[in-house]
Amino acid sequence: MTQTVPGFDRLTVEPDKLGGQACIRGYRFGVEQLLELFAAGMTFEEIREDFPFLEPEDAQQVFAYAAALAQRDFYLPLQESV
């Protein structure tokens, strides 16, 4: 059963697809995978050469989803400078 991620109409979750991770529009292409490609320095145009089903709106929602996850109450203690 495909479910849309609340607040993100282009991101879906299915228990039997990619271990229940968020995917893009029901494809077996995870949010994490797209973020990793961007983090590796690829442009959206380069990524689309390999994955032509991707649309600019998909990337926008992936970034918005990542930003929402980053806003959780997570604090990393900083070490004092010596």
Side-chain angles (χ1 to χ4, degrees), residues 25-76:
R25 293 184 290 119
Y27 288 99
R28 287 189 183 277
F29 190 89
V31 166
E32 180 181 2
Q33 185 177 359
L34 184 56
L35 288 171
E36 287 175 352
L37 294 172
F38 279 119
M42 293 182 74
T43 66
F44 183 70
E45 292 76 20
E46 291 170 331
I47 295 168
R48 275 198 74 189
E49 288 177 14
D50 292 329
F51 306 99
F53 60 86
L54 291 174
E55 300 173 355
E57 296 84 1
D58 298 327
Q60 290 170 341
Q61 283 209 0
V62 164
F63 285 127
Y65 180 70
L69 291 177
Q71 290 179 9
R72 294 188 179 189
D73 293 331
F74 176 78
Y75 298 96
L76 191 65

